[in-house]
């Protein structure tokens, strides 16, 4: 720990905890033990999976919602409500479609009681600063995505914020647009054209985080907390092709894919019924396995290189990595992903054999899949409504997440043909072939006079 503790941080969070109540009045802990400091003069990036609580944390920092525990300070003072010096930019732009650019930007000042003349002058200044000069009277729908987000930035900058909280502001933009906007923001920051003293950027793009931030924090899920930190000691603008930059990107990948639970090499992870299955499909999992197996990787791939090759978003890629890992088809170590023996056999197998392998793995490794199958096996008619499983999942997850997780389990299970699902009735059932097989077996038993008889 370096001791900068004497200086007052812009933001200082200690042991922050946040719980939400599900509609069934169960309590869910989203954040637990979050420690975080934003010092004067720094840009910090926060990387983490979706659903890990990053937006919730930002809203707590902005004073928009309260924490259930711990301590939140802004410039040494306890947070009691929306903080005046803190402005936010959202992924969704959040503009009012019926207001012009100028009106959208002035809105916050109006709410703060700033007079008309000053409002106008400051909005014009902010609009110019972010490169939207000339578009003051345009409506959001007349603007491209990149320009809309510039309005989002102008609306934050017009408040002359001390602290800027950016919640994935570049995620909805295409690569080039987000790059220019990032560069423009960094220029304003590095050349001190804005009075902002600290920036916190939430991102799910590793390269974006490393190209902007002085420190990159890796956030964990369930519950969310700051898991690790990497300092980026490179001058800006940064050369994303340089060896030093690539090295840091590599380190971040390694940290993000290192799972703390599970223990020693080879030790199978003990998942629970409520384990959040990664949002991906068997087809995509197989596709990634094939890519890793083929040239130029030949079974072992450097993660950033694989990201580039597949052109997948980091978020999608991490879901795939996690899927392959929990299925035991691939492992990750030292910034590389490599196929396990099972993964290698899977790639070499034909479609029919792949399904069989997938079925065996699901029942062995994924408690939810095994549970569904067991229930269907035991039921006389081999059918069960999905609500039954949703209710069980709600002990672990919110309604939305329970639905998402069950849907993934259904997609995986149907591919493996361990169960089937009727989308009209919402009923899960054993596949017909399986039922026929079971019945044939039963008959055989009766005919040969098995030991259950008399
Ligand atoms: P992230 O930004 O990392 O994707 P969020 O902070 O948006 O994550 O959400 C974290 C978790 O908290 C999610 O499971 C989400 O469903 C839950 N959550 C967020 N806001 C609320 C709320 N107002 N009520 C109930 N649950 C919420
Ligand atoms: Mg979010």
């Amino acid at each position: 720990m370096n001791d900068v503790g004497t200086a007052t941080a812009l933001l200082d969070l200690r042991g922050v905890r946040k719980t939400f109540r599900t509609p069934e009045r169960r309590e869910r802990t989203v954040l637990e033990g979050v420690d975080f400091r934003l010092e004067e003069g720094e840009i910090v990036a926060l990387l983490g999976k979706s659903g890990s609580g990053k937006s919730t944390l930002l809203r707590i920092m902005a004073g928009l919602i309260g924490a259930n525990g711990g301590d939140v300070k802004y410039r040494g003072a306890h947070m009691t409500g929306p903080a005046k010096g803190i402005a936010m930019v959202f992924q969704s732009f959040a503009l009012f479609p019926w207001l012009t650019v100028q009106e959208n930007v002035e809105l916050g000042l109006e709410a703060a009681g700033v007079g008309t003349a000053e409002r106008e002058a400051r909005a014009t200044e902010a609009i110019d600063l972010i490169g939207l000069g000339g578009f003051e009277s345009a409506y959001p729908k007349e603007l491209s995505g990149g320009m809309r987000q510039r309005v989002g930035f102008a609306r934050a900058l017009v408040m002359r914020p001390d602290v800027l909280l950016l919640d994935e502001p570049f995620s909805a933009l295409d690569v080039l647009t987000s790059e220019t906007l990032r560069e423009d923001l960094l220029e304003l920051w590095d050349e001190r054209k804005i009075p902002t003293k600290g920036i916190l950027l939430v991102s799910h793009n590793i390269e974006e985080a490393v190209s902007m931030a002085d420190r990159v924090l890796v956030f964990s899920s369930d519950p969310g907390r700051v898991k690790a930190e990497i300092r980026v000691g490179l001058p800006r603008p940064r050369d994303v092709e340089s060896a030093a930059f690539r090295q840091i990107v590599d380190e971040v990948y390694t940290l993000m894919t290192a799972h703390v639970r599970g223990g020693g090499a080879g030790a199978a992870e003990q998942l629970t019924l409520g384990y959040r299955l990664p949002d991906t499909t068997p087809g995509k999992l197989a596709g990634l396995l094939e890519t890793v197996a083929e040239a130029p990787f030949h079974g072992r791939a450097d993660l950033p290189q694989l990201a580039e090759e597949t052109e997948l978003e980091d978020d999608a890629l991490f879901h795939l990595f996690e899927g392959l890992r929990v299925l035991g088809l691939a492992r990750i170590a030292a910034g590389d992903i490599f196929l396990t023996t099972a993964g290698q056999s899977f790639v070499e197998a034909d479609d029919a054999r792949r399904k069989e392998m997938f079925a065996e793995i699901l029942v062995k490794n994924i408690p939810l899949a095994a549970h569904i199958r067991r229930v269907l096996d035991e039921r006389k008619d081999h059918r069960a409504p999905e609500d039954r499983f949703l209710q069980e999942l709600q002990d672990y997850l919110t309604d939305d997440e329970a639905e998402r997780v069950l849907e993934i389990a259904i997609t995986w299970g149907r591919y493996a043909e361990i169960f089937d699902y009727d989308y009209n009735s919402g009923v899960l059932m054993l596949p017909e072939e399986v039922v026929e097989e079971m019945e044939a077996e039963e008959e055989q038993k009766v005919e040969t006079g098995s030991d259950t008889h008399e």
Side-chain angles (χ1 to χ4, degrees):
M1 286 260 119
N2 58 343
D3 206 317
V4 278
T6 44
T8 308
L10 292 171
L11 287 166
D12 193 357
L13 280 74
R14 292 285 157 85
V16 166
R17 179 181 144 81
K18 180 73 192 175
T19 60
F20 286 118
R21 263 190 198 289
T22 67
E24 294 73 42
R25 315 195 43 92
R26 291 192 191 90
E27 196 153 272
R28 233 200 100 217
T29 304
V30 175
L31 302 173
E32 176 86 78
V34 179
D35 294 329
F36 170 78
R37 273 170 78 97
L38 182 67
E39 306 289 347
E40 210 165 292
E42 65 174 355
I43 302 179
V44 175
L46 188 64
L47 281 169
K49 282 191 224 162
S50 58
S52 59
K54 303 179 302 297
S55 295
T56 303
L57 185 63
L58 249 59
R59 286 161 67 211
I60 290 173
M61 288 180 186
L64 298 175
I65 56 172
N68 298 95
D71 196 19
V72 183
K73 282 188 196 152
Y74 167 51
R75 287 200 177 270
H78 289 282
M79 192 78 90
T80 51
K84 242 186 125 199
I86 303 180
M88 257 176 106
V89 179
F90 304 92
Q91 175 180 2
S92 60
F93 316 151
L95 305 179
F96 292 103
W98 59 88
L99 298 181
T100 64
V101 168
Q102 177 88 21
E103 288 162 345
N104 264 292
V105 175
E106 278 186 31
L107 217 56
L109 294 175
E110 205 175 327
V114 178
T116 321
E118 190 186 342
R119 246 171 26 218
E120 233 183 89
R122 277 174 65 174
T124 309
E125 181 194 280
I127 289 167
D128 275 346
L129 209 54
I130 201 70
L132 271 181
F135 289 93
E136 289 82 356
S137 49
Y139 286 91
K141 67 168 189 301
E142 300 168 325
L143 304 175
S144 68
M147 288 163 83
R148 279 183 215 171
Q149 190 56 301
R150 280 176 194 265
V151 183
F153 272 97
R155 203 178 36 187
L157 294 179
V158 79
M159 305 309 291
R160 300 188 177 145
D162 193 27
V163 173
L164 255 181
L165 302 177
L166 310 179
D167 195 357
E168 307 198 31
F170 312 109
S171 296
L173 309 177
D174 65 72
V175 177
L176 278 182
T177 307
S178 75
E179 206 173 295
T180 6
L181 186 49
R182 276 191 328 242
E183 281 168 7
D184 289 353
L185 176 68
L186 282 178
E187 193 186 310
L188 294 177
W189 166 262
D190 283 326
E191 295 179 8
R192 303 209 158 67
K193 290 180 181 160
I194 48 176
T196 306
K197 296 295 187 310
I199 297 180
L200 177 62
L201 165 74
V202 168
S203 171
H204 60 241
N205 183 314
I206 293 175
E207 201 157 296
E208 172 180 300
V210 176
S211 68
M212 293 189 73
D214 301 299
R215 283 192 290 146
V216 175
L217 304 180
V218 176
F219 211 62
S220 66
S221 327
D222 294 308
R225 54 193 296 271
V226 177
K227 178 168 86 167
E229 169 189 310
I230 289 184
R231 282 187 181 273
V232 188
L234 306 171
R236 283 185 295 257
R238 293 173 180 155
D239 176 7
V240 300
E241 304 292 340
S242 73
F245 188 93
R246 300 317 316 173
Q247 159 91 35
I248 294 172
V249 169
D250 240 11
E251 272 176 48
V252 178
Y253 264 103
T254 306
L255 269 179
M256 288 201 69
T257 47
H259 57 110
V260 195
R261 289 169 296 175
E269 236 173 309
Q270 212 44 61
L271 304 179
T272 63
L273 195 63
Y275 167 69
R276 292 189 204 193
L277 288 168
D279 200 350
T280 187
T281 63
K284 288 182 187 158
L285 289 165
L288 192 71
L289 275 181
E290 283 164 12
T291 307
V292 175
E294 287 160 10
F297 302 116
H298 305 292
R300 181 167 194 131
D302 175 51
L303 296 176
Q305 209 179 328
L306 185 65
E308 198 159 312
E309 180 87 6
T310 55
E311 292 184 0
L312 286 167
E313 291 272 344
D314 286 330
D315 219 29
L317 211 49
F318 282 122
H319 283 290
L320 282 165
F321 292 159
E322 173 135 354
L324 292 176
R325 182 169 61 75
V326 295
L327 294 169
L329 296 170
R331 283 233 182 82
I332 286 176
D336 284 1
I337 182 167
F338 55 93
L339 302 189
T340 58
T341 320
Q344 194 64 44
S345 315
F346 186 92
V347 170
E348 287 161 11
D350 62 17
D351 282 347
R353 179 63 196 137
R354 281 184 180 188
K355 275 176 191 265
E356 280 173 20
M357 289 183 72
F358 208 80
E360 287 162 23
I361 293 172
L362 279 189
V363 173
K364 199 165 121 244
N365 292 17
I366 308 295
L368 178 58
H371 176 64
I372 294 173
R373 177 58 191 245
R374 200 176 321 117
V375 169
L376 297 176
D377 275 342
E378 283 166 6
R379 285 208 170 187
K380 236 193 182 135
D381 60 354
H382 305 302
R383 301 162 71 84
E386 64 181 337
D387 286 348
R388 181 221 148 103
F389 300 108
L390 283 173
Q391 264 167 26
E392 287 174 288
L393 286 176
Q394 279 155 1
D395 283 343
Y396 305 87
L397 305 165
T398 63
D399 286 8
D400 286 355
E401 278 156 340
E403 262 177 42
R404 186 185 68 82
V405 166
L406 185 63
E407 196 181 318
I408 295 165
I410 289 172
T411 310
W412 291 18
R414 292 187 77 198
Y415 165 79
E417 294 173 13
I418 59 171
F419 45 76
D420 208 344
Y421 176 71
D422 179 357
Y423 285 91
N424 293 315
S425 57
V427 169
L428 284 136
M429 65 205 85
L430 287 186
E432 250 169 65
E433 306 78 65
V434 176
V435 176
E436 276 164 21
E437 245 169 64
M438 286 173 91
E439 282 168 358
E441 257 171 50
E442 279 298 309
E443 266 170 42
Q444 193 115 34
K445 270 190 208 161
V446 174
E447 272 166 24
T448 56
S450 82
D451 47 20
T452 56
H453 207 58
E454 282 187 345

